[in-house]
Amino acid sequence: MVARQDAVGNPADKPDLLMLVPLFSGMPPQLLGELARKLRPLRFRAGTAIFHADDVGSMLYIIIKGAVKIFIPSTDGREVVLAIHRAGDLFGEMSLLDDERRSASATTLEDTEMFSLSRQDFQDVLTRHPEAMRAIVRVLVRRLRLTNQSIQDAYLLDVPGRLARRLLILADEHGIDGEHGGVEIGLKVSQQDLASMIGASRVAVNKQLQAWRQKDIVDVRRQRVTILKPEELEHHFALSP
Ligand code: CMP
């Protein structure tokens, strides 16, 4: 599917939005204004492919509103979901940094607004502003830590343990107050997406969620998961280092 893109307003009018993005938050206001003029505003409907793995990368994307799934598709139609990025997050930096192809595909999970920055402008920012370079290194190191954690989980935990850990990470990153108490993961994630995040089948994820639902450990409504008893979930991976 070709991405539908509409302008959503001039970022030069909204340099304060950039303060929300860790990459830019340390920059003086004058430089933020300069940068804002180089950003291109985009809006995508939910379910739109922004780019595909192996494409040539030409843009960095900064999410202002919405959510983007980063995944590696396989030839049999399955996916490995690497991450879900939200407002304040950036993606598409890897191929601009190493001049390789896109390492993964990106698709919107919700109606999403973002800014794009060209390869040249991104590289200029990093060259001219050491604090931006440090911010990018922090982003990459954090992703490496999360990836290490996922590898560890894949080796050491069973499906309930991996699912429990992933739900708590999602709640930590995207949690909002639940309608009926607890912490709701403020994101529509299908059971297939959850399965693709932890390397399990949808059936196994469904079975485990039902079991936890019956014990009031979680609540699941309209693809939204609410964690009611986090300590019960922690129990499933507490023995892992
Ligand atoms: P790029 O390789 O240009 O295109 C795919 C993007 O997905 C990549 O840049 C990163 O921004 C993002 N990405 C790839 N792997 C991960 C990961 N493990 N965690 C979070 N984001 C990732």
Side-chain angles (χ1 to χ4, degrees), residues 51-61 69-72 81-85 90-98 100-106 139-140 142-144 146-147:
F51 54 72
H52 300 281
D54 272 340
D55 284 354
V56 173
S58 58
M59 297 281 175
L60 171 83
Y61 296 91
K69 176 171 75 170
I70 302 291
F71 64 101
I72 299 177
V81 177
L82 298 173
I84 294 175
H85 293 315
L90 56 88
F91 65 96
E93 78 294 346
M94 285 172 58
S95 53
L96 305 191
L97 290 169
D98 68 3
E100 298 283 342
R101 302 262 172 161
R102 292 291 191 199
S103 60
S105 301
V139 167
L140 293 173
R142 176 167 164 71
R143 288 180 187 171
L144 183 58
L146 290 171
T147 303

Side-chain angles (χ1 to χ4, degrees), residues 122-139:
F122 176 53
Q123 286 170 348
D124 282 352
V125 170
L126 296 186
T127 308
R128 288 171 52 208
H129 304 292
E131 69 276 22
M133 181 65 91
R134 280 195 291 273
I136 276 286
V137 171
R138 271 197 301 277
V139 167

Side-chain angles (χ1 to χ4, degrees), residues 34-234:
E34 187 190 315
L35 188 65
R37 286 191 287 279
K38 297 182 171 158
L39 295 170
R40 192 166 151 235
L42 304 168
R43 178 190 286 163
F44 299 93
R45 292 225 173 279
T48 307
I50 312 293
F51 54 72
H52 300 281
D54 272 340
D55 284 354
V56 173
S58 58
M59 297 281 175
L60 171 83
Y61 296 91
I62 299 153
I63 305 174
I64 302 304
K65 191 173 156 225
V68 173
K69 176 171 75 170
I70 302 291
F71 64 101
I72 299 177
S74 75
T75 44
D76 64 5
R78 288 185 299 165
E79 297 175 348
V80 178
V81 177
L82 298 173
I84 294 175
H85 293 315
R86 302 226 64 173
D89 291 338
L90 56 88
F91 65 96
E93 78 294 346
M94 285 172 58
S95 53
L96 305 191
L97 290 169
D98 68 3
D99 287 328
E100 298 283 342
R101 302 262 172 161
R102 292 291 191 199
S103 60
S105 301
T107 291
T108 51
L109 288 177
E110 302 170 356
D111 290 353
T112 298
E113 294 180 20
M114 47 185 133
F115 294 145
S116 66
L117 186 64
S118 73
R119 170 191 292 266
Q120 187 60 54
D121 287 335
F122 176 53
Q123 286 170 348
D124 282 352
V125 170
L126 296 186
T127 308
R128 288 171 52 208
H129 304 292
E131 69 276 22
M133 181 65 91
R134 280 195 291 273
I136 276 286
V137 171
R138 271 197 301 277
V139 167
L140 293 173
V141 169
R142 176 167 164 71
R143 288 180 187 171
L144 183 58
R145 282 182 187 279
L146 290 171
T147 303
N148 288 356
Q149 183 71 63
S150 296
I151 294 170
Q152 181 186 332
D153 290 354
Y155 276 82
L156 300 180
L157 298 178
D158 55 10
V159 169
R162 300 208 295 278
L163 183 58
R165 171 104 79 187
R166 182 58 53 158
L167 290 177
L168 289 173
I169 290 172
L170 288 171
D172 194 39
E173 290 179 343
H174 312 290
I176 53 177
D177 286 338
E179 226 175 284
H180 308 286
V183 179
E184 179 179 323
I185 297 170
L187 196 64
K188 268 192 187 170
V189 236
S190 67
Q191 293 188 358
Q192 183 57 62
D193 282 338
L194 281 174
S196 301
M197 284 180 205
I198 62 165
S201 69
R202 194 197 62 78
V203 173
V205 166
N206 179 269
K207 200 172 134 203
Q208 190 57 52
L209 286 175
Q210 292 306 332
W212 285 337
R213 210 173 164 181
Q214 275 164 16
K215 293 182 185 166
D216 286 331
I217 295 172
V218 303
D219 190 18
V220 187
R221 291 168 202 231
R222 289 170 266 108
Q223 297 197 337
R224 298 265 189 170
V225 180
T226 301
I227 294 167
L228 302 171
K229 294 180 186 161
E231 64 290 348
E232 294 286 334
L233 293 183
E234 277 166 21

